[in-house]
């Protein structure tokens, strides 16, 4: 069902429009201005809105309307969705009308026109006298727009004098055990393959230098003794597990892992993988360093209680530091400018204490099954954030996904199984993926996801979703 709710009573003009919603889309605000032409437009939005989104709304709405914005703060989310209008008769007598829309719809085009989201919207004309208490509540909200300070809007319990007209949505009720369908739903159910960024810190002692290393001979002296300079130049790292220092590989893997190039689709939020694909292939979704990391954890657990082993590790660190100390002196550089000293020598007790603390911290992590899994695999797989109500952000995500498919389409032999599957689906319909822009790809997928192929007992969406097989 499609409906149009942004209209003006005949013979009236819009004096005021108050929009209250946790999620707001600039396209909707522009549409409201164009259709309602309010003399005053007030927007009350949850204070979690991004600053750049507010700037976009102000810019898109232009200067043709008086747009006022306030932020609503609650203990949780300001989740109310209400659209309050006041109309003034264009000719005498100057009567006023009030109208209220409320329900589940956010201030977005997708929610408001009945063609996409399944929303329940109630529409009621407010009686001037009988509904004065309702109008007073929204007037108290409007009063806050006239102040330069924060103000509390008190809760009220009111009854409407008229029965509202209800707009009840159309949607599909899914049998338990079957997954909801649709291209957007498929994307939303997916996972993001996020590299585990804390991996380089494990089994590695970070040493804070007293001043930053110059990028010359002094930095080389530290590097020659197994102290790797990373991040700020006043930090060096020392991998203490048998010299198996994988810092470079951990932080920036030289090549994209084969499973990523086959199963994932790049987006601006990270590499996307379908939930079904993750279930089928999660065991292979690991860093190239997974085997050596697994060995490192097992060895740490095995030997950490061995005092001889501990002493050997401490001595190896102190020997490396003393070698740096000597190399700096030979180069004519006072070692105490960079390393902790006592009575003109390396402060061995200081570094031994630091190492012992780090070893105990790492041992605690090694016995944590959750950390062990993320560290060994090198990746975490969080769900795609549930932000489809934020239409602009969701469309940006869909765009980046489809742009990646378009990029893969021009490759002669793409590794992307998703792109291959989409290409085959389109060829079945006489379309060429290589000729399509991202917008054409998203439109095709949304419009045809549940379409059954001719002579085949499968939908386009089912075919594409099986890409990992």
């Amino acid at each position: 069902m499609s409906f149009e709710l942004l209209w003006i009573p005949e013979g009236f003009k819009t004096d005021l429009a108050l929009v209250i919603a946790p999620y707001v889309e600039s396209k909707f605000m522009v549409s409201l201005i164009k259709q309602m032409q309010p003399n005053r437009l007030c927007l009350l939005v949850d204070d979690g809105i991004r600053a750049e989104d507010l700037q976009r709304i102000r810019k898109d709405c232009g200067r043709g309307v008086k747009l006022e914005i306030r932020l609503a703060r609650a203990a949780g989310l300001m989740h109310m969705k209400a659209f309050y209008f006041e109309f003034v008769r264009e000719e005498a007598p100057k009567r006023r009308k009030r109208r209220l829309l409320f329900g589940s719809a956010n201030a977005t085009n997708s929610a408001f026109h009945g063609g996409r989201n399944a929303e329940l919207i109630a529409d009621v004309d407010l009686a001037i006298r009988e509904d004065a208490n309702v109008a007073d509540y929204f007037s108290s909200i409007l009063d806050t727009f006239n102040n330069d300070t924060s103000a509390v809007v008190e809760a009220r319990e009111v009854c409407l004098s008229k029965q509202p007209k209800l707009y009840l949505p159309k949607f599909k009720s899914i049998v338990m055990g079957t997954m909801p369908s649709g291209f957007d739903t498929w994307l939303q159910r997916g996972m993001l393959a996020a590299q585990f960024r804390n991996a380089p810190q494990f089994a590695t002692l970070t040493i804070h230098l007293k001043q930053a290393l110059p990028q010359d001979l002094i930095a080389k002296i530290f590097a020659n003794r197994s102290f790797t300079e990373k991040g700020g130049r006043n930090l060096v790292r020392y991998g203490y597990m048998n010299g198996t220092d994988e810092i470079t590989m951990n932080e920036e893997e030289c090549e994209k892992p084969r499973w990523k190039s086959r199963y994932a689709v790049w987006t601006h939020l990270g590499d996307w993988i379908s939930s079904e694909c993750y279930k089928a292939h999660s065991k292979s979704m690991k860093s190239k360093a997974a085997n050596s990391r697994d060995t490192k954890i097992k060895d740490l657990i095995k030997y950490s209680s061995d005092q001889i082993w501990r002493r050997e590790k401490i001595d190896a660190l102190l020997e490396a530091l003393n070698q740096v100390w000597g190399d700096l002196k030979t180069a004519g550089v006072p070692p105490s400018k960079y390393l902790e000293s006592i009575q003109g020598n390396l402060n061995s007790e200081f570094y031994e204490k630091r190492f012992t603390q780090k070893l105990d911290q790492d041992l605690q992590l090694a016995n944590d099954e959750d950390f062990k899994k993320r560290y060994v695999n090198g990746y975490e797989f969080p769900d795609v954030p549930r932000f489809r109500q934020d239409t602009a952000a969701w469309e940006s995500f869909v765009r980046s996904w489809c742009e990646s498919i378009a990029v893969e389409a021009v490759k002669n032999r793409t590794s992307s199984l998703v792109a291959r599957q989409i290409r085959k689906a389109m060829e079945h319909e006489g379309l060429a993926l290589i000729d399509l822009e991202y917008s054409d790809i998203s439109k095709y997928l949304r419009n045809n996801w549940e379409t059954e192929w001719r002579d085949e007992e499968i939908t386009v969406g089912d075919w594409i979703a099986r890409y990992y097989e």
Side-chain angles (χ1 to χ4, degrees), residues 43 69 103 138 161 186 200 210 217 289 373 375 403 409 434 449 459:
L43 170 62
I69 301 177
F138 289 100
S161 65
W186 183 62
K210 294 171 74 174
L217 174 64
K373 180 180 178 181
Y375 172 72
E403 283 177 338
I434 194 172
W449 194 260
T459 64

Side-chain angles (χ1 to χ4, degrees), residues 121-397:
I121 302 176
D123 181 5
V124 62
D125 290 325
L126 300 177
I128 295 298
R129 293 183 180 178
E130 292 85 345
D131 293 314
N133 52 354
V134 180
D136 284 347
Y137 176 76
F138 289 100
S139 293
S140 68
I141 294 176
L142 289 165
D143 286 342
T144 69
F145 284 79
N146 301 323
N147 299 326
D148 294 330
T149 59
S150 300
V152 175
V153 177
E154 297 293 346
R156 301 189 189 188
E157 183 176 327
V158 298
C159 295
L160 292 170
S161 65
K162 302 177 182 178
Q163 292 185 353
K165 179 186 290 185
L166 298 179
Y167 293 86
L168 305 175
K170 171 186 176 181
F171 58 94
K172 184 183 291 186
S173 176
I174 305 295
V175 177
M176 283 294 291
T178 61
M179 297 302 293
S181 57
F183 171 62
D184 291 85
T185 302
W186 183 62
L187 285 189
Q188 179 68 87
R189 289 204 314 266
M191 332 274 289
L192 296 175
Q195 198 169 352
F196 182 48
R197 293 295 177 184
N198 287 337
Q201 309 295 335
F202 182 74
T204 302
L205 175 66
T206 298
I207 295 177
H208 294 259
L209 303 176
K210 294 171 74 174
Q211 67 180 49
L213 290 177
Q215 299 213 345
D216 58 10
L217 174 64
I218 299 175
K220 187 176 181 181
I221 286 174
F222 276 87
N224 288 341
R225 300 302 182 181
S226 301
F227 293 95
T228 308
E229 183 186 347
K230 287 290 178 183
R233 295 214 308 271
N234 63 333
L235 299 174
V236 290
R237 295 181 186 172
Y238 175 79
Y240 62 82
M241 289 298 292
N242 300 322
T244 55
D245 184 5
E246 304 157 19
I247 291 174
T248 302
M249 175 174 279
N250 288 342
E251 291 193 318
E252 289 184 32
E253 298 192 52
C254 299
E255 298 178 24
K256 193 172 186 178
R258 179 172 169 77
W259 61 266
K260 262 193 180 184
S261 59
R262 286 170 57 81
Y263 300 131
V265 177
W266 182 90
T267 75
H268 68 283
L269 296 182
D271 291 291
W272 176 95
I273 295 169
S274 77
S275 59
E276 298 87 355
C277 178
Y278 178 74
K279 290 176 183 177
H281 298 288
S282 59
K283 291 183 179 179
S284 66
M285 294 178 178
K286 299 179 180 179
S287 163
K288 296 176 182 179
N291 290 335
S292 61
R293 289 178 181 177
D294 186 55
T295 299
K296 188 182 291 187
I297 277 198
K298 289 177 179 177
D299 285 348
L300 182 59
I301 294 174
K302 179 180 179 180
Y303 295 113
S304 59
S305 59
D306 185 333
Q307 294 304 314
I308 295 177
W309 181 88
R310 279 182 171 245
R311 190 67 248 173
E312 288 176 348
K313 293 300 178 184
I314 294 170
D315 291 344
L317 167 66
L318 297 179
E319 181 181 357
L321 287 170
N322 275 304
Q323 288 173 338
V324 169
W325 187 279
D327 293 342
L328 290 173
K329 289 182 69 174
T330 301
V333 179
S336 58
K337 287 180 62 177
Y338 300 98
L339 298 172
E340 297 294 336
S341 61
I342 184 170
Q343 297 181 352
N345 295 308
L346 178 75
N347 190 341
S348 299
E349 184 178 348
F350 172 83
Y351 290 108
E352 180 172 340
K353 183 178 180 180
R354 282 279 295 108
F355 177 81
T356 301
Q357 290 174 341
K358 185 61 167 65
L359 186 61
D360 290 339
Q361 291 171 2
D362 287 342
L363 181 60
Q364 187 175 2
L365 288 174
N367 285 290
D368 184 310
E369 288 300 319
D370 184 53
F371 172 84
K372 180 179 178 180
K373 180 180 178 181
R374 290 183 292 166
Y375 172 72
V376 171
N377 292 344
Y379 285 88
E380 301 174 271
F381 295 89
D383 293 336
V384 172
R386 298 298 189 261
F387 60 92
R388 281 180 61 188
Q389 288 277 22
D390 188 344
T391 308
W394 178 254
E395 288 302 319
S396 179
F397 174 71

